[in-house]
Amino acid sequence: DKLSAVFGEGAEFLYWQVFTGTPDAVLPTCDAQLAAHPLPLDWTLRSFTHPSNNIIAEAQRLNLETGIAALPTYYMRGEIMPSILTCIIAETGVMQVCATGNMRYHSDSKLANWMFAGTVSVHPSQRRRGLGKFVNAALLRDSQAAFGWTTVLEQAKEENFASVGMITKCGLTAVPDAVTIAVHLTGGYVSR
């Protein structure tokens, strides 16, 4: 009701459940996930803090193909804030899975030194193989080594059971009564 009063009756208010974790809870869980589920032979796992334009374009293509709103190039390149792109590339050279993280929160805010992680995308031909969980775990491990975050925040629609499972299996827990809200003034689809 409060949002409708501010933004008008035609606005849509999309929301995602918030999940957080600290390194002591997340990193051992992620290490266990990575050890338990090795990649297919000849596939490559890479994390980039300053990816090339070609790698970024591949990640954006994969995001859009899987219904995820792709981040802008300058965001993924780390021009504005520390960012990381973790991806899995098949032996053919084609990116099959990717995830991103960034240190987007202001250093004087209550979320200082928190990392936002997400945009996990798995090519449709590779789903149900645990690759989303694998790339998410690698992203969390590699980003903590690169940036030293104290808390990580991820989000998912509560009815997106695959994403919720992926996040919680990497050691994050749901924050009761907390959601991320997107105010969409023109209606329509934003991101799953």
Side-chain angles (χ1 to χ4, degrees):
D1 291 339
K2 290 179 183 179
L3 289 172
S4 292
V6 172
F7 294 102
E9 295 290 325
E12 291 183 38
F13 311 109
L14 308 170
Y15 66 93
W16 293 262
Q17 176 66 50
V18 173
F19 300 82
T20 62
T22 57
D24 59 332
V26 170
L27 296 179
T29 306
C30 289
D31 287 341
Q33 291 293 347
L34 293 168
H37 305 286
L39 284 177
L41 197 60
D42 298 328
W43 284 31
T44 306
L45 172 70
R46 297 281 311 269
S47 288
F48 303 92
T49 55
H50 296 88
S52 70
N53 287 340
N54 289 341
I55 292 291
I56 291 170
E58 279 294 301
Q60 290 169 328
R61 175 202 52 78
L62 185 57
N63 291 155
L64 294 173
E65 191 172 338
T66 59
I68 302 291
L71 296 174
T73 299
Y74 72 90
Y75 228 77
M76 295 174 83
R77 197 181 298 133
E79 292 178 13
I80 304 298
M81 65 200 69
S83 297
I84 191 166
L85 168 63
T86 301
C87 54
I88 299 173
I89 300 170
E91 75 282 354
T92 59
V94 177
M95 188 180 298
Q96 300 295 311
V97 188
C98 66
T100 61
N102 55 65
M103 302 295 286
R104 66 172 59 175
Y105 303 109
H106 195 279
S107 60
D108 292 331
S109 76
K110 69 178 185 176
L111 302 183
N113 212 29
W114 285 39
M115 187 186 78
F116 177 84
T119 64
V120 176
S121 297
V122 178
H123 189 276
S125 68
Q126 302 301 328
R127 290 193 177 143
R128 302 191 192 290
R129 298 180 60 195
L131 293 170
K133 177 177 55 179
F134 189 95
V135 80
N136 193 53
L139 170 76
L140 297 175
R141 177 199 64 193
D142 295 351
S143 63
Q144 213 289 320
F147 307 138
W149 49 261
T150 57
T151 304
V152 63
L153 184 151
E154 294 196 50
Q155 58 194 27
K157 295 268 189 192
E158 63 183 343
E159 67 272 8
N160 185 342
F161 301 118
S163 290
V164 169
M166 174 198 69
I167 291 168
T168 57
K169 288 176 183 169
C170 286
L172 287 78
T173 56
V175 179
D177 302 322
V179 295
T180 298
I181 300 172
V183 178
H184 200 229
L185 299 177
T186 58
Y189 176 80
V190 177
S191 184
R192 66 181 183 97

